[in-house]
Amino acid sequence: MKITNIKLYKVQPRWLFLKVETDEGICGWGEPVIEGRAESVKACVEEMKTYLIGSDPRRIEDIWQVLYRGGFYRGGPILSSAISGIEQALWDIKGKYYNMPVYEFLGGICRDHVDVYCWIGGDRPSDVGMEAKRQQDLGFKSIKMNATEEVAYIDSFAKVDAVCERVAAIREKCGKYFGIAVDFHGRVHKSMAKMLVQELNQFHLMFIEEPVLCENYEALREIAKYTASPIATGERLFTRWDFKKIFEQGVVDIIQPDLSHAGGILECRKISAMAEAYDVAVAPHCPLGPIALASCLQMDACTPNAFIQEQSLGIHYNQGSDLLDYLADPKVFEYRNGVVQIPSKPGLGIEINETYVEKMAETGHDWKNPVWRNSDGTVAEW
């Protein structure tokens, strides 16, 4: 079997889909994208086409090594995301060829389902208590929310109080044991993060995410002294070499590799195995589309230290087009009582509605995240 062609579709709300075709009529789908840099990743995938055409798609490890190492320069968001989507598509082909779901190639299933959480609020959350209660009534057992708006290096304690008030509203509406994750989104600098995590201890959070930017990972050791909540990070780390320094530091409790950014399914399975050796849990990052989510669920199925899965249904980014719109059978991601079943059909376990993909690709998108500024005009982290 040989790869004969690749096709790329930039579709709303902010995704990039890849279709890999073969001479035996078996096709695979992947989702290579960096949010806000879809065109750059698209160009990178097209540049890698030279290495793909004529290759046997079943030789996934070999192709990955060629794509990662063959260009001399390696790593980073664009290259790693391009490889990730290609790798997902190759697994989809291999699973369909051998008539097995991807998890069967990676050790076999070790769970029947996986917990999922949903997002509430947006970049500037309001009325989060009522929204969390609505999600609880729909069966979700946990939510994640953004912590703050803009935060300067040293800022008013009023911003800390505002976060606590929103989390308190969720506790009041949803009860003592409802799961609450607070995403700092790398917006908070070390000095303010220490105060904020300490004040949030009273709410017994499920985890705090990216309390500081991942490039400032050395600050996590100090922040860990002030919090009783599990610390999560990893959505902006790429391949096992980025994660290695996190494991060696020994203060992170949850890693969040993104299977569309960090190198694909097998690479993230390797990262998860490294995490298991350091007694670290896995909660894959996935505010993306259906192919990325299907890839995550295939890895979750065979990863014992994966404990919960992010998913984007209803997330504020998905205005105008959502997760299930691109699937021939939306029921494959049917959430009940806060869990989702593992797709068991061959490959990634989903069927893409290609007609709809082609239609939406005619419009495409040029999604960019907003640029925030502090009150004095300096650029703030988004």
Side-chain angles (χ1 to χ4, degrees):
M1 182 162 56
K2 303 295 182 184
I3 296 172
T4 57
N5 195 21
I6 64 169
K7 296 179 179 178
L8 288 149
Y9 304 93
K10 198 162 63 165
V11 297
Q12 294 181 9
R14 54 180 189 158
W15 303 332
L16 180 67
F17 293 170
L18 165 68
K19 181 184 180 184
V20 176
E21 299 176 340
T22 71
D23 59 357
E24 296 198 17
I26 300 174
C27 300
W29 290 85
E31 196 168 331
V33 69
I34 276 285
E35 302 91 299
R37 298 290 184 267
E39 196 64 36
S40 298
V41 180
K42 182 174 181 283
C44 188
V45 174
E46 290 173 339
E47 192 170 46
M48 290 177 172
K49 186 175 181 179
T50 304
Y51 300 105
L52 298 173
I53 302 301
S55 298
D56 184 340
R58 295 168 296 184
R59 298 187 60 179
I60 297 172
E61 180 67 43
D62 183 67
I63 291 173
W64 194 97
Q65 293 287 333
V66 168
L67 297 179
Y68 184 76
R69 297 164 63 189
F72 187 74
Y73 297 99
R74 60 194 66 175
I78 304 303
L79 288 169
S80 295
S81 297
I83 293 172
S84 297
I86 293 168
E87 195 259 14
Q88 292 167 3
L90 300 183
W91 277 114
D92 198 26
I93 291 170
K94 188 163 187 170
K96 291 171 181 176
Y97 181 84
Y98 289 106
N99 197 33
M100 293 193 300
V102 171
Y103 60 72
E104 292 289 7
F105 297 95
L106 303 177
I109 199 165
C110 69
R111 57 167 46 87
D112 299 323
H113 58 257
V114 63
D115 286 353
V116 292
Y117 65 84
C118 64
W119 269 88
I120 63 168
D123 288 324
R124 302 174 183 272
S126 61
D127 199 19
V128 293
M130 291 299 296
E131 177 63 13
K133 179 60 178 172
R134 187 177 77 85
Q135 297 300 333
Q136 186 182 47
D137 291 343
L138 290 173
F140 286 98
K141 295 178 287 186
S142 54
I143 58 88
K144 186 165 78 175
M145 58 176 282
N146 277 327
T148 68
E149 300 176 304
E150 303 91 334
V151 179
Y153 279 86
I154 304 296
D155 214 321
S156 169
F157 197 80
K159 293 190 176 181
V160 175
D161 278 344
V163 178
C164 292
E165 288 169 7
R166 293 199 292 273
V167 177
I170 299 174
R171 271 284 167 257
E172 180 181 350
K173 292 287 184 182
C174 298
K176 182 177 180 180
Y177 300 113
F178 186 72
I180 304 173
V182 177
D183 187 359
F184 287 38
H185 217 248
R187 295 172 181 169
V188 186
H189 299 281
K190 178 178 66 173
S191 51
M192 296 300 296
K194 290 188 292 184
M195 288 194 288
L196 183 51
V197 299
Q198 191 168 36
E199 293 297 316
L200 287 172
N201 279 331
Q202 61 186 303
F203 301 111
H204 306 292
L205 300 178
M206 182 168 65
F207 60 82
I208 57 173
E209 180 174 333
E210 273 198 325
V212 292
L213 288 167
C214 58
E215 53 259 45
N216 296 332
Y217 76 96
E218 69 282 350
L220 292 173
R221 187 178 298 280
E222 185 174 357
I223 289 169
K225 298 175 183 178
Y226 294 86
T227 183
S229 301
I231 295 174
T233 195
E235 69 182 69
R236 288 187 269 191
L237 299 176
F238 311 102
T239 76
R240 73 201 91 149
W241 290 279
D242 268 4
F243 279 90
K244 180 170 67 172
K245 62 189 180 185
I246 297 294
F247 296 136
E248 290 172 347
Q249 188 186 38
V251 297
V252 169
D253 305 288
I254 303 163
I255 57 159
Q256 300 169 298
D258 189 309
L259 275 72
S260 281
H261 302 337
I265 296 171
L266 181 56
E267 182 66 9
C268 288
R269 182 65 189 91
K270 293 176 181 178
I271 292 166
S272 299
M274 293 169 66
E276 188 179 5
Y278 283 90
D279 201 26
V280 171
V282 180
H285 180 253
C286 191
L288 295 170
I291 305 168
L293 179 57
S295 299
C296 288
L297 294 177
Q298 292 296 324
M299 191 194 79
D300 292 333
C302 57
T303 303
N305 52 330
F307 83 101
I308 200 164
Q309 178 59 57
E310 183 175 28
Q311 52 81 39
S312 73
L313 188 63
I315 198 171
H316 50 292
Y317 301 120
N318 292 3
Q319 294 179 2
S321 194
D322 213 329
L323 181 71
L324 306 181
D325 296 342
Y326 293 95
L327 295 175
D329 179 15
K331 291 182 180 179
V332 70
F333 293 148
E334 191 170 31
Y335 308 138
R336 292 185 179 179
N337 299 319
V339 306
V340 62
Q341 301 300 312
I342 305 297
S344 58
K345 292 182 179 179
L348 296 180
I350 60 172
E351 182 182 350
I352 296 297
N353 183 340
E354 191 168 354
T355 301
Y356 186 74
V357 169
E358 291 174 346
K359 176 185 175 183
M360 295 302 291
E362 293 175 2
T363 303
H365 69 83
D366 188 28
W367 187 88
K368 297 287 186 290
N369 61 258
V371 175
W372 283 7
R373 293 184 180 274
N374 294 308
S375 59
D376 64 358
T378 56
V379 174
E381 297 291 342
W382 172 79

